Amino acid sequence: MVLVGSLPVDIINDENISIKLLGPIIHEIVKRDYLQSRCIAIITEENSHILDYIPKHVLRYHFQIGSKHSLVPFVEDTTTFDHRTLNNATITFENFLIESLDAGCPLYIIQVSNPRAVIRCFSRSSRRAMYRMSRFYIFLPVIKSDQINALDEDMIFSMKDMNFLPDLVICRIVQNQTQVNRNSTIVSGSEYFVSVAKYITNHFNFLFRNNSEDITKHFNFLYRKKCIGGNYGENKYNMRIEKTIVEIRTHKFVGFNKSENILQNVWVPGNETCSGRFLYPTKIFPDKIRNVQGRKILLATWFYPPFIIFNLKTKPPLIDGIEFRIIFEFLKFINGTFRMTSDPTHFWGDAYENGTSDGVIGYVGMDRVDIGFSAYYAWPKGFQVSDFSTTHMRSSVTMLTARPKLKPAWMVPLMPFDGVMWGAVSACLISCMYALYALQNFVDKILGKSEDRLSPYAHLDYAVLRTYAMLLNQGPTFRWDSSSRHVPARHFVGWFQFMGEVISDTYNAGLASVLSSPRYEPPIETLYDLAEHNILWAANHISWIWSIQESDQPHIETITNNFRLHTEEEMIEFGRKSGEMAYGIERLQGGHFTTEPHINEATVLQRRVMKDTLYWSHLYFILRKGSPYKRHFNTLVTRVREAGLPFYWEGDVIRKRMSGRLQLEIATSRILHDDNGPLKLNLNQLQGAFFILLLGNCAGLIIFLFEVILGKRKKKILKVKNISKQKQDLIRVKPY
């Protein structure tokens, strides 16, 4: 920013002189640091001659405010987050800012009379822009032909927006303090040098404290080169410019008095011998973040072990966790302190269309904190309103589902074989029944003699019953004779009896295994199982489905629709009552698990961790868009990650701050029962046998009754037929 101080009246009333004074400063800064930039943005008010000092080959975004032909007569000064409520002119201006921000312009040169309104427009626009980077800002004064607009530096530096704008400078045009006789046309160069040197030594005390000797040496060098001072009597125009200096001022940003107005550098205008230059060859925008001198870094998080653990009621307060340890390393890296805030009711938070947000996202997106962290995934909603650091570790979401129940005891006789095996046995039995019956009838027709004894296998009912009996290890009761018509059946029965023995022994072995170890229903292991069984699952925030809610896969859509949002108290209550409701849980890269309050021993006792993963993501810290801390923070996080510290801290935090027993219970929940030795048989194992016996008795009784009824009906029919036959016989012998 440029602040115009006291100037001679003839300079104030001459816009060309002011442009010739400020233009070389802009040209020098651009030439030295920004020639390779993608673009440079310039915002002016009426007079736009400052554009002439920017190299032509550099892409420029220029927007003019307040001129007759401008679309924006003025910019609205408001702190609202909702850009939709702004007037049309301000919306047009912010759209230009967004376009230039997305183009990646690193430098903004701004010459307006109301810088506070422009700064607030930058705050809103940067939240909506997608290109993320920390920008540099130079505000130049608006010098009109009839007035001068002095800017209140202290007011600007005390704005809340300065918390994320360290690279912002104000240029102040200051008249040399040497008392000069205005009627004299000759000014002593030595007097000018002495006065400027004294002024700079007294005021230039930010970056070069206790370094006044270096300043004096450099100033002496410029004086020997005749770049300062001289005889101005021949050119009053140059004299008027050279009788001023331009202070480059900024806010301290670091330390505890962060709004302090300090002198950054001084621009000494040129003369006929030398061109203008900065008094000290240092950067206009030094790195203020590498050492913030104890500045408080504002943090937003909530209790989410093992990533974030804190208890502020203890003395000293307990603050630990994987991500907190990364934060502590960063604070050591930049020499900072911290202040923490939390929004435990909104957890990760959400962003809304009116520009507001809540939770961790809200604190960062609304500029209330510098860094937010809570094991944040790569969620698009958060990325729209904030920026992500480099990743420090990965995590995945799985499920604690209901434990599989024991299969009903009446199913014990069916358990030795699965469905395919039972189908194969049934097909074999049916085919053998019909094969034996058909074979015997075929042989009787081909080889049979009238005097030979008929085989009972020629009857279908006998073939069915005897084939089933042979499957149960019961041999045939029919005595075979030496007739050739019985030979094929004897061979068939012998081989089938051998096959029945093998099937029966296999079944007996399987039955012994079933009786000695319990059998459970199929567990929920995969996402397809979760969807097929239509399992309802719950969590404390809608962010648990952000990663899958836009999936078009049918089973993922089913899982998303089965999500239920409940409070911690509700989930604790549900967890104690039954295990029917599944809970989302995070599995860390080291195999440990997150344990929120509803993930406790009572909850885990009725649940089993799923083998499959619902989804996974890298984890990120979230910062404000264009955060000045991002570059150094990413450097630190990269070093921590490459050293493997998060992987070590995962186990260390859990060992020191969390329940190892609960972690073990979750990890071993996949084991359905403990191995307590051989299982003692009881009456339950015989339920299936008794059920089959009862079923057989009932079926036999029904068949018996059916046969009795059918027999009586046949006798009645035969009796009726006999009576009708007798009547017909009587009719035949009756004489006419």
Side-chain angles (χ1 to χ4, degrees):
M1 289 185 167
V2 176
L3 179 64
V4 180
S6 57
L7 294 176
V9 176
D10 52 354
I11 291 182
I12 295 176
N13 294 332
D14 194 334
E15 293 185 73
N16 292 327
I17 292 180
S18 64
I19 291 299
K20 287 183 177 293
L21 182 65
L22 299 173
I25 300 177
I26 299 302
H27 179 78
E28 178 67 19
I29 293 174
V30 173
K31 182 182 70 173
R32 189 173 65 178
D33 299 324
Y34 298 99
L35 281 181
Q36 304 301 322
S37 300
R38 294 186 179 185
C39 56
I40 293 176
I42 305 98
I43 302 171
T44 60
E45 197 172 281
E46 295 189 0
N47 192 333
S48 60
H49 294 305
I50 199 70
L51 288 166
D52 299 334
Y53 290 86
I54 298 176
K56 302 297 183 182
H57 70 276
V58 178
L59 178 62
R60 295 174 289 181
Y61 279 83
H62 177 228
F63 196 90
Q64 198 158 2
I65 301 174
S67 65
K68 297 179 180 179
H69 305 290
S70 174
L71 298 175
V72 181
F74 70 96
V75 176
E76 187 176 355
D77 186 2
T78 175
T79 59
T80 181
F81 289 96
D82 192 355
H83 66 278
R84 300 172 301 180
T85 62
L86 302 173
N87 58 43
N88 293 333
T90 307
I91 292 176
T92 302
F93 176 65
E94 290 194 2
N95 289 337
F96 160 77
L97 290 182
I98 294 172
E99 182 180 353
S100 62
L101 290 170
D102 285 337
C105 298
L107 178 65
Y108 281 80
I109 301 169
I110 306 165
Q111 191 175 24
V112 297
S113 57
N114 187 6
R116 186 173 66 176
V118 173
I119 292 173
R120 287 173 174 167
C121 287
F122 269 106
S123 299
R124 278 188 299 270
S125 301
S126 62
R127 296 188 186 96
R128 299 161 56 199
M130 286 293 104
Y131 193 92
R132 280 109 162 128
M133 66 178 298
S134 181
R135 274 85 178 184
F136 304 90
Y137 303 89
I138 303 175
F139 276 74
L140 300 177
V142 177
I143 304 176
K144 299 181 180 180
S145 58
D146 56 346
Q147 62 180 355
I148 178 172
N149 293 331
L151 306 179
D152 188 347
E153 299 174 18
D154 294 332
M155 180 274 296
I156 295 172
F157 290 152
S158 63
M159 290 179 64
K160 179 183 176 182
D161 306 83
M162 295 300 107
N163 290 328
F164 53 86
L165 294 177
D167 300 313
L168 183 147
V169 296
I170 297 178
C171 301
R172 174 192 286 176
I173 302 176
V174 180
Q175 181 186 7
N176 179 27
Q177 301 300 316
T178 305
Q179 298 296 327
V180 181
N181 185 357
R182 294 188 178 275
N183 296 325
S184 175
T185 59
I186 299 178
V187 180
S188 170
S190 60
E191 291 180 359
Y192 182 70
F193 161 71
V194 171
S195 62
V196 175
K198 184 183 297 185
Y199 173 81
I200 293 172
T201 303
N202 293 334
H203 294 84
F204 201 65
N205 58 358
F206 171 48
L207 293 178
F208 307 104
R209 291 191 291 266
N210 303 322
N211 210 11
S212 58
E213 293 183 2
D214 292 339
I215 298 176
T216 305
K217 289 179 181 179
H218 189 69
F219 207 96
N220 281 326
F221 172 78
L222 296 179
Y223 182 66
R224 288 195 301 271
K225 293 290 185 179
K226 299 183 179 180
C227 296
I228 298 177
N231 191 326
Y232 306 106
E234 298 179 0
N235 192 333
K236 295 183 179 181
Y237 184 82
N238 286 341
M239 180 195 72
R240 287 188 294 166
I241 293 180
E242 292 176 355
K243 293 297 292 179
T244 62
I245 58 174
V246 179
E247 296 179 350
I248 311 298
R249 290 191 165 271
T250 185
H251 59 307
K252 189 177 181 182
F253 189 79
V254 301
F256 297 98
N257 189 15
K258 56 188 179 182
S259 300
E260 181 182 350
N261 184 348
I262 56 176
L263 184 63
Q264 177 76 5
N265 209 329
V266 173
W267 174 264
V268 179
N271 55 25
E272 296 177 352
T273 305
C274 297
S275 60
R277 63 182 61 197
F278 290 105
L279 176 62
Y280 204 88
T282 185
K283 290 184 177 181
I284 297 300
F285 300 104
D287 185 0
K288 298 180 181 179
I289 307 301
R290 187 61 184 87
N291 182 6
V292 297
Q293 301 178 14
R295 175 188 171 100
K296 285 189 180 296
I297 308 301
L298 305 182
L299 309 174
T301 186
W302 54 281
F303 186 85
Y304 190 50
F307 296 103
I308 302 101
I309 299 174
F310 60 86
N311 185 356
L312 303 181
K313 297 181 180 179
T314 61
K315 293 184 179 180
L318 171 63
I319 300 178
D320 203 352
I322 301 171
E323 294 187 333
F324 250 126
R325 294 189 181 188
I326 297 176
I327 289 293
F328 292 153
E329 293 299 323
F330 175 65
L331 294 175
K332 294 177 184 177
F333 186 64
I334 64 172
N335 188 25
T337 57
F338 77 96
R339 188 178 71 201
M340 184 185 69
T341 187
S342 180
D343 187 0
T345 59
H346 293 100
F347 305 103
W348 291 275
D350 203 349
Y352 309 106
E353 293 183 0
N354 62 359
T356 62
S357 47
D358 53 30
V360 174
I361 299 176
Y363 278 108
V364 176
M366 299 175 69
D367 298 331
R368 298 173 63 182
V369 299
D370 299 303
I371 304 174
F373 54 101
S374 56
Y376 205 86
Y377 280 32
W379 290 317
K381 285 195 173 184
F383 188 71
Q384 291 174 0
V385 298
S386 61
D387 200 358
F388 289 175
S389 69
T390 185
T391 178
H392 54 283
M393 62 187 301
R394 71 181 295 275
S395 181
S396 60
V397 170
T398 185
M399 292 281 187
L400 279 176
T401 59
R403 285 179 174 269
K405 297 178 181 178
L406 282 170
K407 289 185 176 180
W410 62 267
M411 294 183 63
V412 169
L414 303 177
M415 292 180 188
F417 291 162
D418 59 9
V420 176
M421 187 63 180
W422 277 119
V425 171
S426 301
C428 178
L429 179 63
I430 294 172
S431 61
C432 288
M433 289 176 182
Y434 182 76
L436 181 58
Y437 167 72
L439 177 64
Q440 188 62 53
N441 280 276
F442 176 76
V443 172
D444 285 346
K445 290 181 180 180
I446 301 301
L447 303 177
K449 297 179 182 179
S450 59
E451 66 272 12
D452 291 337
R453 186 161 59 101
L454 294 176
S455 173
Y457 293 106
H459 302 285
L460 182 60
D461 55 350
Y462 187 84
V464 170
L465 291 175
R466 294 316 305 175
T467 304
Y468 178 72
M470 285 186 288
L471 190 64
L472 300 180
N473 293 334
Q474 295 182 13
T477 58
F478 175 71
R479 291 187 177 184
W480 307 95
D481 55 26
S482 60
S483 175
S484 60
R485 68 194 303 178
H486 299 309
V487 174
R490 282 204 304 269
H491 283 281
F492 184 89
V493 169
W495 286 110
F496 182 74
Q497 193 170 2
F498 173 76
M499 184 182 67
E501 186 75 24
V502 173
I503 295 175
S504 178
D505 290 345
T506 304
Y507 177 83
N508 292 335
L511 183 62
S513 175
V514 169
L515 292 174
S516 60
S517 61
R519 290 294 187 269
Y520 292 87
E521 295 177 350
I524 307 299
E525 295 283 21
T526 66
L527 300 183
Y528 294 97
D529 296 336
L530 199 65
E532 183 180 357
H533 290 78
N534 210 29
I535 302 297
L536 298 180
W537 63 288
N540 53 16
H541 193 264
I542 194 66
S543 62
W544 285 85
I545 62 171
W546 280 351
S547 297
I548 60 174
Q549 64 182 357
E550 296 183 2
S551 175
D552 57 357
Q553 300 182 31
H555 67 285
I556 298 296
E557 290 180 347
T558 301
I559 294 173
T560 304
N561 294 332
N562 287 335
F563 174 76
R564 300 293 183 269
L565 186 62
H566 292 296
T567 63
E568 288 287 348
E569 293 75 15
E570 291 174 338
M571 287 191 288
I572 292 174
E573 187 66 22
F574 293 155
R576 291 174 179 173
K577 289 181 179 180
S578 69
E580 297 301 324
M581 179 74 74
Y583 289 158
I585 188 172
E586 283 195 60
R587 182 190 285 121
L588 279 64
Q589 62 185 15
H592 299 91
F593 299 89
T594 58
T595 54
E596 296 180 76
H598 63 274
I599 306 296
N600 50 52
E601 293 186 10
T603 301
V604 177
L605 186 63
Q606 304 183 65
R607 287 167 176 80
R608 177 178 182 271
V609 66
M610 192 172 70
K611 179 181 179 181
D612 208 352
T613 296
L614 182 59
Y615 57 87
W616 70 273
S617 174
H618 292 292
L619 301 183
Y620 303 89
F621 290 82
I622 54 177
L623 302 92
R624 188 195 186 278
K625 284 185 179 180
S627 171
Y629 298 101
K630 183 179 178 180
R631 181 168 64 91
H632 291 299
F633 190 79
N634 284 348
T635 300
L636 185 278
V637 171
T638 301
R639 294 177 182 178
V640 168
R641 184 186 67 242
E642 292 179 350
L645 291 177
F647 188 81
Y648 167 74
W649 286 337
E650 176 186 329
D652 189 55
V653 169
I654 289 175
R655 286 190 297 270
K656 292 181 178 179
R657 308 299 184 189
M658 297 174 61
S659 171
R661 175 177 174 177
L662 180 57
Q663 291 288 325
L664 184 61
E665 287 184 355
I666 297 174
T668 58
S669 63
R670 293 181 54 78
I671 302 175
L672 297 180
H673 68 285
D674 297 329
D675 187 6
N676 296 322
L679 182 66
K680 295 181 180 180
L681 300 180
N682 52 51
L683 191 60
N684 289 333
Q685 277 76 15
L686 298 178
Q687 284 185 14
F690 287 124
F691 179 77
I692 293 176
L693 177 61
L694 179 61
L695 182 63
N697 291 336
C698 293
L701 178 60
I702 293 173
I703 294 173
F704 172 73
L705 295 176
F706 178 74
E707 288 181 346
V708 170
I709 295 172
L710 185 61
K712 289 182 178 180
R713 186 177 179 184
K714 285 183 178 180
K715 288 180 180 180
K716 187 176 181 181
I717 293 173
L718 290 175
K719 185 177 180 180
V720 171
K721 286 182 178 180
N722 290 334
I723 293 173
S724 61
K725 185 177 180 181
Q726 291 176 1
K727 289 182 178 180
Q728 289 177 2
D729 292 342
L730 291 174
I731 292 173
R732 288 195 192 99
V733 300
K734 185 176 180 181
Y736 291 98

